[in-house]
Amino acid sequence: MDLFSQAWTALRAAVAGLPDEDFGRPSGCTGWLVRDLVCHLVIDAQDVLITLATPAGAEPTRTAVTYWEVSAERPTGEDPLDALTVRLAAAYEDPGLLKFHLDDVGSAAGRAARLADPAARVGTRDQVLTVADYLSAYVLEWTLHHLDLVAHLPSAPRPPAQTLAAARAMLEEIAGVAFPASLSDPDALLTGTGRRAPTDAEKAALGGLAAGIPLFLG
């Protein structure tokens, strides 16, 4: 729960501190500008609110690790929701409105997470998770998107070290392997999820593991 709050607070603060001109710059999500990514975060925050308000009586069917749908195929960008996100982001026009909406809905999602019972069960995507597992999955989501946000913004604040380490550990569980210690947490996350190609030195460090990455998470 603390890591969720830490990751989400840091990401929202990074968005809040962006000058308007940065919203038109590329993000680390292929084909998305920063404004598109921030609009996606608004939708994510809505999903958190909906899920935390959707109790489930059945036994959990997923954990924080198995929550993710893993694919070896890079997303094409043709998903209807991705296209809708881009249109919604463009409709804001004023970056200040997008910042306000993220702060408004995002703050509510953060409060709901702090108030939720970690042992309670919730339903999402036709699956059941404990609140603790659901919020833990979002530590990976927020941390990856924080890296996406700052990919081309060198002066923007980076994700907290604690959430980077936790996200790396979760990605390693998903992959079933440990990345070499020579890779920093951001580098392990970026190369492991296909956000950038590994350098020659990283390929050498990865060895046989390189054949199993990247993993595309959905």
Side-chain angles (χ1 to χ4, degrees):
M1 305 287 276
D2 289 342
L3 284 170
F4 173 92
S5 294
Q6 190 175 4
W8 189 219
T9 299
L11 178 51
R12 286 166 39 227
V15 172
L18 294 179
D20 286 358
E21 57 267 25
D22 282 351
F23 281 73
R25 301 187 193 279
S27 78
C29 293
T30 303
W32 274 9
L33 302 175
V34 166
R35 72 182 187 192
D36 305 325
L37 174 58
V38 174
C39 187
H40 171 74
L41 295 179
V42 172
I43 296 170
D44 267 357
Q46 292 171 339
D47 284 345
V48 170
L49 285 169
I50 291 167
T51 299
L52 292 179
T54 307
E59 290 295 317
T61 57
R62 298 286 179 97
T63 67
V65 172
T66 59
Y67 167 84
W68 299 97
E69 300 291 342
V70 182
S71 173
E73 299 295 326
R74 185 180 298 275
T76 63
E78 296 176 356
D79 181 87
L81 182 56
D82 289 346
L84 175 62
T85 299
V86 173
R87 294 197 299 272
L88 283 174
Y92 277 93
E93 295 185 358
D94 179 0
L97 294 176
L98 192 50
K99 283 184 182 181
F100 172 80
H101 199 183
L102 178 63
D103 180 65
D104 193 33
V105 181
S107 295
R111 289 192 298 271
R114 288 192 297 272
L115 293 170
D117 177 1
R121 299 166 189 168
V122 291
T124 183
R125 305 200 301 189
D126 296 322
Q127 301 293 338
V128 177
L129 297 90
T130 65
V131 166
D133 273 319
Y134 175 69
L135 297 180
S136 293
Y138 261 89
V139 173
L140 178 55
E141 173 89 355
W142 299 147
T143 303
L144 288 172
H145 281 329
H146 197 146
L147 291 172
D148 292 331
L149 180 76
V150 303
H152 302 284
L153 305 175
S155 63
R158 270 43 190 168
Q162 296 93 326
T163 63
L164 284 165
R168 177 193 183 135
M170 188 174 298
L171 183 62
E172 289 178 335
E173 280 195 70
I174 294 168
V177 295
F179 294 104
S182 59
L183 266 69
S184 68
D185 293 339
D187 288 337
L189 291 165
L190 292 170
T191 58
T193 60
R195 281 164 163 80
R196 71 164 177 80
T199 64
D200 290 341
E202 288 168 343
K203 285 180 182 177
L206 286 165
L209 299 180
I213 61 171
L215 301 175
F216 301 106
L217 308 179

